[in-house]
Amino acid sequence: MAGALGLVTLLALQALTGQLRRFPRLEASVNNRAYLLMAGSEIVPANLWRTHVSEHEITARLRVAGIRSRKEIACVILESTGEISVLRAGVPIEPEFLVGVKGAELMPASLLAAPRD
């Protein structure tokens, strides 16, 4: 009986969380935020500290992404899902790809595309 009660409680909380995501003001309370971990070749130490991500984890993710030099990095983002994304330099990043990313203002202008009108 206790196991069934626990399962029903978990399912009810999952359903409630799903409903809260439908409202923009409440969405932030149930979703994680994306954080900029590297802007160009520079690490953002404050965001590493906030997210409890180590430089070793970033280095490992860069290797998985096939990065061989810091010159190849446009940015590294810890996504709201917990995944680490690596965007390569070369093609400018459209500003809408960085909307909602904490620390996006630290991105070098040379790596960003001109905003669309």
Side-chain angles (χ1 to χ4, degrees), residues 49-100:
W49 182 81
R50 278 187 197 102
T51 59
H52 308 286
V53 174
S54 72
E55 288 187 38
H56 298 292
E57 290 175 276
I58 292 175
T59 303
R61 185 63 193 130
L62 293 172
R63 286 192 302 263
V64 168
I67 299 293
R68 296 173 301 240
S69 166
R70 285 183 176 255
K71 294 176 193 173
E72 295 180 66
I73 304 167
C75 66
V76 176
I77 298 172
L78 176 65
E79 302 291 349
S80 61
T81 61
E83 294 276 333
I84 295 177
S85 297
V86 177
L87 300 180
R88 292 177 178 268
V91 176
I93 299 169
E94 294 180 12
E96 55 264 19
F97 278 88
L98 298 175
V99 170

Side-chain angles (χ1 to χ4, degrees), residues 35-57:
Y35 282 86
L36 185 73
L37 301 178
M38 285 185 75
S41 62
E42 299 299 317
I43 290 179
V44 182
N47 286 349
L48 286 184
W49 182 81
R50 278 187 197 102
T51 59
H52 308 286
V53 174
S54 72
E55 288 187 38
H56 298 292
E57 290 175 276

